[in-house]
Amino acid sequence: MTLDDLPTPCLVLDRTILERNLRDMASAVARLGVPLRPHMKTAKSIDVARMALEGQPGGITVSTLAEAEYFLGHGITDMLYAVGITPQKLDRVLALNQAGARIIVITDDPMMADTIACRPMPPRTLIEIDSGEERGGVRPDSDRLLELAARLGGALAGVMTHAGHSYAGRSVPEMEQIAAGERDAIVGAATRLREAGHPISIVSAGSSPTARHAVDFAGVTELRAGVYMFGDLFQAEIETHGLDSIALTVLTSVIGHRPGKVLVDAGGIALSKDRSTEAVPHDYGFGLALDVAGRASYGYAVVRKAYQEHGVIEYEPETPIDLPVGARLRIAPNHVCMTAAAHDRYFVVDGDQEVSAIWYRVNGW
Amino acid sequence: MTLDDLPTPCLVLDRTILERNLRDMASAVARLGVPLRPHMKTAKSIDVARMALEGQPGGITVSTLAEAEYFLGHGITDMLYAVGITPQKLDRVLALNQAGARIIVITDDPMMADTIACRPMPPRTLIEIDSGEERGGVRPDSDRLLELAARLGGALAGVMTHAGHSYAGRSVPEMEQIAAGERDAIVGAATRLREAGHPISIVSAGSSPTARHAVDFAGVTELRAGVYMFGDLFQAEIETHGLDSIALTVLTSVIGHRPGKVLVDAGGIALSKDRSTEAVPHDYGFGLALDVAGRASYGYAVVRKAYQEHGVIEYEPETPIDLPVGARLRIAPNHVCMTAAAHDRYFVVDGDQEVSAIWYRVNGW
């Protein structure tokens, strides 16, 4: 089976690029001396998880409890659920932990800390630290940090942060600086807690850009990152990786023509409506059009409009896309986590157009 | 089971609003004397299709062949696949038609018209007409129209258009005018083809705004519309329906707090990254926060940021969202077709918080 046989739109995952991305990140974190707890929010696939875990301790990060259930079913037990826990989700976590999982949860909320502490056999819990993203978490120097630790009592296992503000960085030096701030925040929080008498075993940090570019993560016990596995246009623009490190593309068929444009059958559902690259030097609209071999043969040919099932690619006169209806293109995604989410499987290739495997994803919640 | 028992995020579909929306559209098209071929791209559910077909001839519109396969499996045979056909998809259509379906396809491409005409037992084919959207289709006064008809030969069954440019309308008078242009284009195309000796039985038009607000659709044989079933913030802003006609919301749980903000577990996947309301008077970010009963108790409380699994709702000081972690909210969507696409089922309520049914969707391609 080749790419020409696949129904479109669908996901094409190039294993040769995936493997290189995994090796690059493994080297980066090895250099830092910190093991990786790969974040499976992007790939949501046991096949990818097994590859990402090579040479690592074996724990993963998940973004949904559907992922936790799925990965437990595939034998992975050490999981960090990296979204603030709620009472109802705590019940699901406890049930999974009774079934053999060892799910770690996070919180930044005093009432939730009480709820966790009051359960028999509470899960290991990390206090979420805000290292600058200003999304979830408490500041490392806040009174709330010590209050949460006191409320969690024996359930407290450590601290975690996500330097999501690294996505606002635009150069390697900036990423180094953000990574240093992330480390200072999380290690500072761990130190304060230890000084207050709390045993802290897990000091968890990470984002793909900071894990990739940090100079020193001393005191951090694990790094979480996910999007690096597949890469995307936004991450390429912020220098997490090169443009040739995008392992995941959307295979699409030409369905029509207009002057300077081709219509394709990858629209807003297949590509997602994510517009991350609006904020970076090259605005790729809803994605960059590549030829069926994955090469940038059409220059700056960009999906400018994304209707539900129609994408409109605008090309430049010197690199026209002159293909008949039914011919295939590949679209490199803006934000691969969002793009992959609409699809239930990967068609795997190895640097060519031959489909060597089909890997399934776990979507939903 | 009530909304408090559901895992979040998930879709809540209020059947009382859905029924009213279906009645309103049925009245609108009855007034025009044109039957409805409901577009199932939004709902993708046999339960909703059955309701939408009440009092109508029985044909539907689909946006994917996965929908066609699913609806055929549920006994619906008359389907219009409203995305330009490709050679490979034509094979799938022919297989479905051999299995009992009567799928109608569309094209605006001369080579594709030849491909269709050369197949034994070709599907009924409509020429796609551009009535002003400038996406797919040929202009009704173009030479290409007659060329396509000649190439299609006996496969030609009619013409179709989608006035997608109605989404740029901002008032009922504007919608009336766009609907008149849509009718003139499609009826004009049908007339030219008939004058050239082609029997034209299907003259298919429609979009939710034009179907709702047209004054006269004489000469049109069927109207296609889909988003009216559920409604959304964008359609409310362009006056397709009122803000109280949004039948579909995303149920979400509070997962954290910041000054002036709550974090919820509905992020970019659960809500979609669609930003349709960026272009209308009220910009609702990634959605409008309602209370768990679906009431606008929090004023202009809007999801301003949507990370993969985190939504950040900003509220106004006079209408704070003062709820504990785990409490529920509902988010009205910007563009419901996109929001629903990330979910596999609807939890159905009847104007209250009791779940009375679960209806499944067909996603993918």
Side-chain angles (χ1 to χ4, degrees), chain B residues 276-289:
Chain B
S276 302
T277 61
E278 207 170 11
V280 291
H282 293 94
D283 183 343
Y284 290 107
F286 297 98
L288 176 67

Side-chain angles (χ1 to χ4, degrees), chain A residues 4-6 9 41 88-89 109 130 135 258 265 268 273-274 307-310 328 337-338 365, chain B residues 4-6 9 41 88-89 130 135 258 265 268 273-274 307-310 325 328 337-338 365:
Chain A
D4 278 333
D5 302 313
L6 299 181
K41 70 180 177 126
Q88 194 188 47
K89 286 177 181 164
D109 184 77
D130 177 12
R135 185 175 72 180
R258 295 193 85 87
D265 66 359
K273 295 294 288 280
D274 191 278
Y307 304 87
Q308 184 167 348
E309 297 294 342
H310 298 73
R328 272 92 202 285
C337 315
M338 301 301 303
W365 295 271
Chain B
D4 278 332
D5 302 313
L6 299 180
K41 70 180 176 127
Q88 194 189 48
K89 287 178 180 162
D130 176 11
R135 185 175 72 181
R258 295 193 87 87
D265 67 359
K273 295 294 288 280
D274 191 278
Y307 304 86
Q308 184 166 349
E309 296 295 341
H310 297 74
V325 166
R328 271 92 203 283
C337 314
M338 301 302 303
W365 295 271

Side-chain angles (χ1 to χ4, degrees), chain B residues 284-348:
Chain B
Y284 290 107
F286 297 98
L288 176 67
L290 310 172
D291 68 17
V292 69
R295 293 169 307 215
S297 301
Y298 303 116
Y300 192 57
V302 168
V303 182
R304 286 287 167 211
K305 289 190 179 175
Y307 304 86
Q308 184 166 349
E309 296 295 341
H310 297 74
V312 180
I313 299 170
E314 292 184 17
Y315 53 76
E316 296 178 312
E318 58 272 26
T319 45
I321 301 181
D322 185 19
L323 295 172
V325 166
R328 271 92 203 283
L329 293 165
R330 282 158 74 177
I331 312 288
N334 257 346
H335 182 175
V336 69
C337 314
M338 301 302 303
T339 300
H343 302 259
D344 67 353
R345 71 195 69 184
Y346 303 106
F347 294 98
V348 181

